Amino acid sequence: MLRVSNIKIDIDDSIELVRKKLCKKLKIRDGEIKYYSIYKESIDARKKNEKISLVYTVDVKVNNEKRLMKFKPKDCVEIKTNKYRDIKVGSEELEHRPVIIGSGPAGLFAALLLTQRGYSPILLERGADVDTRTKDIDDFWKNSKLKANSNVQFGEGGAGTFSDGKLTTRLKDIRCEKVLSEFINFGAPEDIQYSHKPHVGTDILKGVIKNMREEMINLGAEVRFNSQVTDIQIEDGKLVAVVINDKEVLPTQHVILAIGHSARDTYRSLYKNGVEMEQKPFAMGARIEHPQEMINKTQYGKFADHPKLGAADYRLTAHADNGRSVYTFCMCPGGSVIASASSEGHLVTNGMSEHARDLENANSGLLVNIETSDFESDSPLAGIEYQEKYEKLAYELGGKNYNAPAQLVGDFLEGKASTSIKSVKGSYQPGLTMTDLSNCLPDFVVEAMRDGIVKLDHKLHGFAMEDAVLTGIETRSSSPIRIKRDSETLESVNTKNLYPCGEGAGYAGGIVTAAVDGIKCAEKIIEKFSPRNI
Ligand code: FAD
């Protein structure tokens, strides 16, 4: 197979031109092509006021590839097939069905692979199924009623369900191919396979997750909602059972622990049981909202309204004078800022969008790195305590009703409290309390954000727009803890049979990397054990 890059067409050209240009580049006739697929598509908007191009990389099989390569065609390399290959099944006997805790991307993909290979796993999820969860979240956003186990962080699909569903990753791992093709199998748009910025959107993601669940149940998995693992039982350094909802004891031999970064009660219980964990840096800041139209104009110039381009995005970083990094995170074009709390009396924001990305505002996290040396104790749980302290302050500053504290960028830069919203209507529900965000963030974070906003405006003109809205606070960009695991077996370093997995355990950041980590942990069980007795 050959991979041919740098095939450029104009934004208004038809996609068929790519194939024609490919033939020209390789100096072959169309009839010589045996297989053809688009591997990547990207946008070249560097000359945005003259023209915008689409740039393609394609995979192609042709007659006589060896002969063709002798002529060293430009931008063309030989590649091996890039399909995920199932690993060999082991021979040891399993006494119990494997258990997976958490149905986020890590848990779901671990469960899916084990199910496909005949291991009939049991998937335990503390939250509700995605339909019930949608209603519970709606009630929270409209009426400030937070459900402890059914919210933006907890429930079927995990933290990524109510998200933008961006599937971008810098990870170079063959398992990414499996993740994307399974997403497509279960209903995601096919362009995620090649788009340079693949995205699904909350509306479609919910259906994908339901389809996955149904397939797993049909193939013999058990999926249990409202089943929180409240304790674990360890004998001779080996995990032997999990306790569900403080009453049911489920004996098990293998547990994939994919609990996400917000299960603070579970971390505390694992710590109490002696499972080894350590502090991990994370980031903190607020969501920033601008008019999407302004972002489109800045990124695409006179092509801003072109139907093929959709809502523009950005990704920005700067070094603040106080030594911190400031960066935009999880940008949601045409989306909304959402209330993402998972525990009473704590306030957290994040962002999401539907597949169409057609709402008025663009938003992204504006974050500053927090080092473990900023934490206030040496305990592995100190990062959680740090998050809790500021989330509580934000809750109080917002009015103790899950309204979020917010401030206009102009006021934030001047260091004065805001009193009302102006031209940019903040999208956060249940509502905003205009105030001074410096009262619920560490001083160094505020300082770095102020400096960062001005510096980022040089990269994306309009970023420091006075009326842009900052909604506080964002604390859950990644886990503040790492549960230590052996790099070979992927088991906890001091609790055998326990596989810390995904974002919560500190081994992933984002939907795709979490899913890949889930697959890796499932592979460890597959390569050692046979599903014969299950
Ligand atoms: P999670 O998805 O957090 O899943 C953990 C699951 O475990 C949860 O369902 C939880 O209920 C369950 N659980 C926890 N404790 C227990 C217990 N004791 N017993 C039983 N079940 C338990 N990433 C992207 O790549 N692209 C995006 O566009 C994007 N947008 C996001 C938007 C929002 C609003 C949020 C919150 C996150 C977003 N992320 C995004 C991040 C992404 O969602 C996470 O990186 C990813 O979901 C982590 O996967 P995970 O499986 O490790 O954990």
Side-chain angles (χ1 to χ4, degrees), residues 100-108 124-128 133 149 151-169 199 205 224 227-231 257-267 287 329-332 338 340 349-353 357 476-477 501-505 508-515:
I100 294 137
I101 310 176
S103 72
L108 270 180
L124 301 174
E125 168 54 56
R126 70 191 292 162
R133 186 182 178 203
N149 276 330
N151 49 55
V152 170
Q153 312 290 349
F154 298 156
E156 187 178 17
T161 311
F162 293 80
S163 79
D164 180 50
K166 274 179 287 300
L167 300 178
T168 20
T169 174
H199 121 96
L205 258 179
R224 293 174 61 177
S227 300
Q228 180 181 353
V229 172
T230 44
D231 204 357
L257 180 81
I259 55 173
H261 55 35
S262 291
R264 292 167 174 170
D265 45 6
T266 315
Y267 284 127
R287 279 268 140 184
F329 176 77
C330 189
M331 195 261 161
C332 300
I338 57 170
S340 309
T349 59
N350 211 307
M352 65 166 260
S353 45
R357 288 178 165 172
R476 312 262 185 101
S477 59
C501 178
E503 175 142 21
I511 295 172
V512 176
T513 52

Side-chain angles (χ1 to χ4, degrees), residues 388-405:
E388 284 176 333
K389 171 177 164 180
Y390 289 99
E391 289 174 9
K392 201 160 170 284
L393 284 174
Y395 175 75
E396 283 161 9
L397 196 61
K400 298 187 179 175
N401 54 2
Y402 296 104
N403 278 8

